């Protein structure tokens, strides 16, 4: 197949970038001809704010360039990852006008929530789900401030008014069944949304898990439940070690906690190879996120190494982790419940071994590169057939 994969890089790196590169490598390893088209968001300044607004809603420069590119390259299918904000919905129109079927991966909840996370004031929020105009998201400034949130709202409204969801996009990829149901509630065509998770490649292999510590690996921010994590460890004795690998807005808070508690170690940002090594040695991964999440690569990587997970009983986490089989689910935001789950996880070596085997088996069944490749090709073929049958 001749496959075009498009991605708009944010100002900083993230999980969507990892998935983009992984899928490109996966398809090329199976001898498909993969064409990539990428742009990067420049920093927004007071002088460029109006131009940013215009481009986020409709970018005529991208439209004309991409339409010409599609007509010249003639891909069988176009797979789009992120379009915010330089690409804009003009990507879909360019593909439609060039007769190219489109697959769109839904990495976040941007199409049904201006903030993109279905989160407000540290709690899940669905006020805008299913609304034609997300007035609450604009009112509360869920994306930085009311003006930026208005831009996000218009970005989605333009797609709806132009009929992109019905005409230009043949298949949407949701990362979990939980996310699929939320997008259906939000108004996306149910028959066009399929579930395909992220994957880990190459296979890192199962670890020994002989370390005497729990691991947190991710962005140090409010929605990741960092406050809950640190509060839970205040309730645990010094026998329970915690290693934190990551950086972010709450770095100072983590630094202070590590200075005050000898059983907390903060490593700062670590390369992926080191995070994998830490997972292979850890007893358990702690994932106390207070938002719904998409499908965190940390969870999939943990399963790949056979690492059980303690996570919030919320959103995609509640559908990915099987309680007391591949890990433990606790009440979201409840530090006491998290500390009790940690104690239970460390209470029996044999129990952890059984859960480790279950986690590894889950990876082999659902999250390997080969399994993902089969799903991805089926999705592309489905998109092509739908485009051919479209009036």
């Amino acid at each position: 197949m001749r496959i075009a994969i498009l991605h708009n890089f944010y100002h900083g790196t993230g999980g969507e970038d990892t998935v983009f590169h992984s899928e490109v490598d996966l398809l090329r390893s199976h001898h498909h001809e993969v064409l990539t088209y990428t742009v990067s968001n420049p920093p927004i300044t007071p002088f460029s704010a109006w131009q940013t607004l215009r481009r986020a809603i409709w970018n005529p420069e991208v439209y004309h360039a991409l339409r010409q590119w599609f007509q010249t390259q003639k891909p069988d299918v176009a797979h789009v990852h992120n379009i915010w904000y330089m690409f804009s919905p003009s990507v879909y129109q360019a593909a439609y006008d060039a007769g190219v079927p489109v697959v769109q991966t839904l990495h976040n909840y941007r199409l049904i929530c201006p903030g993109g996370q279905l989160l407000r004031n540290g709690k899940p929020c669905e006020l805008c789900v299913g609304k034609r105009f997300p007035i609450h998201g604009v009112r509360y400034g869920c994306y930085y401030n009311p003006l930026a949130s208005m831009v996000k709202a218009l970005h989605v409204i333009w797609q709806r008014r132009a009929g992109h969801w019905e005409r230009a996009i043949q298949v949407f990829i949701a990362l979990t069944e939980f996310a699929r149901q939320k997008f259906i509630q939000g108004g996306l065509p149910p028959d066009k949304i399929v579930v395909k998770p992220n994957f880990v490649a190459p296979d890192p292999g199962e670890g020994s898990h002989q370390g005497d510590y729990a691991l947190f690996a991710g962005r140090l921010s409010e929605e990741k439940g960092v406050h809950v994590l640190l509060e839970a460890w205040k309730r645990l004795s010094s026998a329970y070690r915690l290693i934190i690998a990551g950086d972010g807005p709450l770095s100072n808070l983590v630094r202070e906690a590590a200075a005050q508690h000898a059983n907390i170690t903060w490593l700062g940002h670590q390369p992926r190879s080191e995070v994998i090594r830490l997972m292979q040695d850890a007893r358990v991964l702690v994932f106390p996120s207070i938002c719904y999440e998409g499908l965190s690569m940390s969870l999939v990587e943990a399963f790949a190494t056979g690492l059980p997970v303690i996570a919030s009983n919320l959103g995609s986490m509640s559908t990915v982790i099987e309680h007391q089989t591949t890990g433990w689910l606790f009440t979201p935001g409840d530090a006491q419940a998290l500390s009790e789950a940690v104690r239970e996880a460390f209470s029996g070596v044999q129990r952890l071994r059984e859960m480790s085997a279950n986690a590894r088996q889950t990876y082999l069944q659902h999250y390997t590169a080969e399994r993902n490749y089969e799903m991805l090709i089926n999705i592309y073929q489905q998109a092509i057939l739908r485009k051919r049958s479209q009036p």
Side-chain angles (χ1 to χ4, degrees), residues 8 55-59 83 85-92 155:
N8 190 145
R55 286 177 170 174
I57 299 171
W58 177 258
N59 192 330
I83 69 166
Y85 62 89
M86 285 292 292
F87 263 158
S88 82
S90 58
V91 169
Y92 306 138
H155 169 83

Side-chain angles (χ1 to χ4, degrees), residues 118 124-131 178 182 185 292:
L118 293 175
C125 174
E126 299 185 18
L127 288 175
C128 295
V129 176
K131 303 293 192 302
F178 173 85
K182 281 287 168 262
Q185 293 175 29
Y292 286 151

Side-chain angles (χ1 to χ4, degrees), residues 50-353:
W50 173 248
Q51 190 177 39
T52 299
L53 168 64
R54 178 181 66 83
R55 286 177 170 174
I57 299 171
W58 177 258
N59 192 330
E61 294 90 348
V62 163
Y63 167 75
H64 291 296
L66 264 177
R67 182 177 178 180
Q68 180 63 40
W69 187 76
F70 282 133
Q71 291 174 335
T72 301
Q73 299 296 334
K74 294 181 171 53
D76 296 311
V77 64
H79 185 169
V80 182
H81 285 273
N82 176 43
I83 69 166
W84 177 262
Y85 62 89
M86 285 292 292
F87 263 158
S88 82
S90 58
V91 169
Y92 306 138
Q93 192 65 45
Y96 179 81
D97 290 344
V100 179
V102 173
V103 173
Q104 171 68 62
T105 295
L106 302 168
H107 289 282
N108 51 52
Y109 297 100
R110 184 177 296 129
L111 292 185
I112 58 176
C113 166
Q117 294 181 319
L118 293 175
L119 183 75
R120 184 170 63 85
N121 293 335
K123 296 180 180 179
C125 174
E126 299 185 18
L127 288 175
C128 295
V129 176
K131 303 293 192 302
R132 284 194 169 273
F133 184 81
I135 184 64
H136 298 288
V138 175
R139 172 189 173 191
Y140 293 117
C142 292
Y143 182 69
Y144 290 112
N145 55 57
L147 177 59
S149 299
M150 174 66 79
V151 174
K152 272 287 193 73
L154 294 174
H155 169 83
V156 174
I157 288 172
W158 177 261
Q159 297 176 49
R160 285 180 170 174
R161 289 181 63 87
H164 290 150
W165 296 355
E166 291 75 20
R167 297 185 304 114
I169 302 173
Q170 277 61 54
V171 180
F172 291 94
I173 296 177
L175 302 180
T176 65
E177 180 58 34
F178 173 85
R180 180 177 182 274
Q181 293 302 322
K182 281 287 168 262
F183 284 115
I184 291 173
Q185 293 175 29
L188 270 68
D191 61 322
K192 286 190 172 186
I193 311 174
V194 301
V195 177
K196 183 194 78 67
N198 297 328
F199 65 97
V200 174
D203 182 354
E206 190 170 4
S208 63
H209 306 293
Q210 296 299 309
D212 62 343
Y213 61 89
L215 175 68
F216 174 92
R219 179 173 165 79
L220 304 182
S221 54
E222 180 184 6
E223 71 274 9
K224 296 299 182 182
V226 173
H227 287 95
V228 182
L229 176 72
L230 298 179
E231 180 60 33
W233 244 262
K234 290 180 182 178
R235 302 164 185 256
L236 294 167
S237 69
S238 59
Y240 297 92
R241 288 185 59 215
L242 171 66
I243 292 181
I244 299 176
D247 207 345
L250 299 183
S251 294
N252 288 336
L253 185 68
V254 173
R255 181 183 293 107
E256 292 173 3
Q260 296 172 5
H261 302 278
N263 59 339
I264 299 178
T265 302
W266 178 46
L267 303 179
H269 174 74
Q270 295 294 312
R272 181 174 178 271
S273 58
E274 178 59 17
V275 173
I276 292 294
R277 189 197 67 77
L278 289 167
M279 287 182 173
Q280 290 172 327
D281 194 39
R283 294 278 191 93
V284 68
L285 180 76
V286 185
F287 199 89
S289 185
I290 58 174
C291 65
Y292 286 151
E293 293 285 349
L295 176 57
S296 171
M297 288 301 296
S298 295
L299 295 183
V300 182
E301 288 168 346
F303 283 173
T305 64
L307 181 63
V309 181
I310 300 175
S312 304
N313 190 10
L314 182 70
S316 64
M317 295 161 286
S318 62
T319 61
V320 171
I321 297 158
E322 188 174 350
H323 183 57
Q324 294 190 339
T325 299
T326 57
W328 290 265
L329 295 169
F330 70 94
T331 305
D334 189 335
Q336 180 61 35
L338 173 54
S339 65
E340 291 172 359
V342 172
R343 291 190 185 97
E344 183 176 349
F346 277 74
S347 64
V349 175
Q350 184 58 36
R351 183 86 178 280
L352 275 175
R353 286 176 181 169

